[in-house]
Structures are given as C-alpha cells and as structure tokens.
Amino acid sequence: MALFSPDTDIFCERDALREDYQPEEIVGRDQELQQYVSALQPVINGDQPANIFLYGKAGVGKTACTRYLLHELKDDAAEFNVDLTTIRTNCEDLSTSYQVAIQLINDLRDPEDHLQPTGYPRRQVNQWLWEELDGIGGTIIIVFDEVDHIEDDSILYQIPRARANGNLEHSKVGIIGISNDFKFRETLSSKVQSSLCEKELQFPAYNANELRDILRQRADIAFYDSVVPHEVIAKCAAFGAKDAGDARQSLDLLMEAGDVAVERDADQVTVKHVDEARELLERSRIVDGVAGLTQQGHLVLYALVMLHEEGETPTRARAIQDRYEIVCDRAAVEPLVPRRMRDHLGELSMLGIATREERNKGESGGRYYEYSLDTNPDLLLEALDETVDMVGVTDAIQKRLDHDI
Ligand SMILES: Nc1ncnc2c1ncn2[C@@H]1O[C@H](COP(=O)(O)OP(=O)(O)O)[C@@H](O)[C@H]1O
Ligand SMILES: [Mg+2]
C-alpha cells in the first residue's frame, strides 16, 4: 500500500482557501469597488492617474480587490487603446525608500541587469529608476502594498513629483498605497500626505453576512459538492465577524476544519470539526506567540496569569509589577524597571494574549491602563511550562493544573 495517497473525498482544490489564491469574483464589496473604480477613472481617460491611499484592517480584501480591479483595468485599457503598465510591490520586507527603488528597478529589468541590494549612491539609484520608468511610457500604476513598512517616505514623495521635476517625460505614474494601519497616514510628512492621499478609500471590517458569502464562494471551489453544509459556513463566518471581520481568519478556519474532517475520515465537514479547528488554531497561535517572547516576557505573562487565576484582573501595571517582582525573585532573575515591564505588557496585548483598556480617573483627571488576560489560561500554562517549573506554582495555579488532568 502506498504511504501517501490523495484523499479526494473532502477537498477538490484545497489551495482555493489559501491566502494567495485570487478569486475571480469579489463578493460584497460593491460600494467600495465603485469608489475604487472612480478613483482609477483618469487612467482610462488617458490622464495623469490620481494617487490613492487605501486602508482598512487585515483581511478586509484590500489586496484581493486591488488585484482584481487592476486586472479588469488592464483589460479595459487594452480595449480603449490606453497604454497601461501595472507594478505591484509588497513592502513587507522592505524598510527604506532605497530598498523600494532597487526592488522596482529589478522588477523592470532583465535578470542579468539586476542591481545588488546595497552599495550604490542614492542619486544614481533614483536616476536608474527614472530611466526605467520613462522607458516604459504611457501610464504606469505602482501599488505599494503594506506601505507602512517603509520607514522613510521619500519615494512616496518623489514618484508623484517626478513629472513636475522633469525626471519623467514619457510616462505618467500613479501610486496606490495600501495599509492596515490608518495611523500610518499621520506619520507621513504633510507634503507626502497631500500627494499620496489624493483619493482615500477605506475598507470596513466584514460582517457575518458578507463573510458567509465570501466563504460560500470559496468553499464551492475548494470542496466537493455538499461536503460543507450551511451551518459550517455560518459558524466560520460568525467567528470571523466576532473577532475582527477578517476574511482571512474565517478562510483559515474553514481550511483547518476541512483538514480535521479529512483526518477523521469523515465524508462531510461538521460544526464539531469547526470547533476542533478553532482550538487547534488557537493553540498554535498561543504556542507561537509565547515561544516568540523573551524570558522576561514569560515572567511578566506568568505574573498576569497568576493574578487572573486569583480573580484580580483587570488590574493596573503597578499590581502586575509587584507580582512580577515576586516571580522574578523565585526564578532568581533580576526584575526590570516598571517602564520596561510595561513594554512587555504592551507586547502581550499586541499579540492578543492580554487586553489593555484605558480608564479615566474621573474628577482628578489622568488616565491609566488596566490589563487582563484574553486567552485560555490552560493553553498559556502549557506553553509556559518551563517558566512554571522554574518559578513554581501558587494555590490558584495548582488548582487549575489539577483540574486539567
Ligand atoms: N470581497 C471578497 N470576495 C472574495 N474574497 C475575498 C474578499 N475579501 C477578502 N477575500 C479573501 O480573503 C482573504 C484576505 O483578503 P486580502 O485581500 O488578502 O485582505 P487584506 O489585503 O485586506 O489584508 C484573501 O484570501 C481574499 O481572497
Ligand atoms: Mg493585503
């Protein structure tokens, strides 16, 4: 018997649930697409394209809609004899305008003429970029996806001005900047803001109905007929809507639920499989999150778990500091000063392990934060097992550990 054999009862195209799969149709974004289309209208008129800034939380379809529309735009441009080139750059691994320029040049050049990542004077790199862009001619749209990863904004300033500054003669270039982080807009210098954000588009989070439509569309491609009943779609959608209105999260959950069904040798995906899948995803999120923390991060987290088990949360950083110092003492580790300890609390809330809420002091004014745990403590204690061994347990922690067995 073969050790590996295709399991064909559940998935017919599992890859359709992956993030990099591009759906042929976009569902439930009619209004946003309409705004996007009108922002791109100058392209079809053969005019200078507007620069567009698109923002919205993770998983709300920014990348998918942009890819979809640019594809349509290219088709229509060909029909109306508009000379259009589109370039998409993901800035996730790029942190400076210099790196972005090199990447753009290499995208446009033949492999044998590619530049090295470093070692050229900045002016020279810019010069090469203008030569490449001007050599194309016509209209060029450059998409900077995850643009907030670029720390200096000079390229976002220079490209829109290139024509006015005499650097481009034959090409009209427009930029589409995409960001998960609306605050990024405020970090831009005002001259970049006014040029990059000529047209601003915002994509809101998805509600459960919209997520259901997206999931259904994708499930029909990924799974065999009648493998995914309505209630499974509804459950994955409800989960995504409750958390962040994030389509990616819901699609991941559906894929994992499918994997569970395959593993169980089932002939349908069930609601129970979705529950199991959620637990698996939650577990790996926590295990990965905790594994990525430093030892100090582990000690801060353990102090917070202790307070949670004692019913002392939400609580202020000061109370956590007191407990954390005891924990450090037990671990024979030098404690951090409160400021640094608070940085770790901030990191925990960024990871979604803890939550941080701002409170007002009332009459006397002033604000402070309260922290609580936002994660299943059993999973955390499992992920923290080395710290628990090193520090030892309190009564409340022992009680939970006993309960678990
Ligand atoms: N309106 C939609 N219709 C179909 N699929 C969608 C839609 N919105 C998002 N998706 C899918 O959800 C996933 C996440 O969307 P993506 O565009 O990558 O989000 P963002 O770029 O906003 O983080 C992708 O697999 C994408 O194809
Ligand atoms: Mg994206």
Side-chain angles (χ1 to χ4, degrees), residues 158-362:
Q158 282 170 325
I159 292 181
R161 303 281 158 127
R163 226 177 140 83
N165 290 343
N167 292 318
L168 294 178
E169 205 181 321
H170 306 291
S171 304
K172 299 172 185 167
V173 184
I175 295 183
I176 301 178
I178 304 179
S179 171
N180 287 345
D181 177 7
F182 184 60
K183 286 199 213 95
F184 173 70
R185 188 186 182 287
E186 267 100 77
T187 67
L188 296 169
S189 61
S190 56
K191 56 183 189 180
V192 176
Q193 264 183 39
S194 60
S195 53
L196 175 63
C197 312
E198 276 177 330
K199 299 271 180 202
E200 260 177 31
L201 300 174
Q202 191 216 338
F203 278 21
Y206 287 120
N207 62 34
N209 286 335
E210 292 163 333
L211 288 175
R212 267 207 297 271
D213 292 343
I214 293 172
L215 288 172
R216 178 40 78 191
Q217 176 213 40
R218 210 60 78 82
D220 287 347
I221 303 168
F223 294 92
Y224 283 107
D225 284 350
S226 56
V227 162
V228 184
H230 175 73
E231 64 269 20
V232 165
I233 298 282
K235 185 147 192 157
C236 293
F239 167 71
K242 184 167 153 268
D243 209 41
D246 175 342
R248 186 177 300 119
Q249 223 175 22
S250 296
L251 287 164
D252 283 349
L253 180 60
L254 184 60
M255 175 148 85
E256 189 79 29
D259 287 340
V260 171
V262 169
E263 207 171 294
R264 299 274 179 283
D265 231 356
D267 43 13
Q268 265 204 332
V269 184
T270 65
V271 167
K272 232 179 117 228
H273 297 146
V274 178
D275 286 332
E276 274 182 57
R278 256 183 80 169
E279 256 184 64
L280 287 168
L281 289 176
E282 178 73 353
R283 183 178 297 261
S284 63
R285 183 179 72 87
I286 292 168
V287 169
D288 292 350
V290 172
L293 299 174
T294 59
Q295 185 194 41
Q296 287 289 354
H298 291 154
L299 295 167
V300 173
L301 177 56
Y302 191 32
L304 184 62
V305 176
M306 285 180 174
L307 293 169
H308 172 86
E309 288 304 295
E310 291 158 23
E312 298 292 332
T313 53
T315 185
R316 297 178 64 163
R318 198 179 309 144
I320 302 171
Q321 176 80 23
D322 291 346
R323 180 59 62 94
Y324 156 78
E325 285 176 8
I326 298 171
V327 164
C328 285
D329 190 49
R330 298 282 297 265
V333 169
E334 191 65 29
L336 299 171
V337 296
R339 252 182 87 89
R340 293 277 86 81
M341 197 283 305
R342 279 203 303 274
D343 290 343
H344 286 282
L345 286 175
E347 194 181 356
L348 293 175
S349 48
M350 247 174 50
L351 287 169
I353 293 176
T355 48
R356 184 172 84 165
E357 272 183 79
E358 196 173 286
R359 301 258 189 262
N360 282 316
K361 268 188 190 150

Side-chain angles (χ1 to χ4, degrees), residues 29-50:
R29 274 284 182 236
D30 296 350
Q31 202 189 331
E32 288 75 14
L33 286 181
Q34 213 172 355
Q35 288 173 355
Y36 212 156
V37 165
S38 55
L40 289 166
Q41 182 61 37
V43 175
I44 285 293
N45 298 343
D47 295 332
Q48 169 73 36

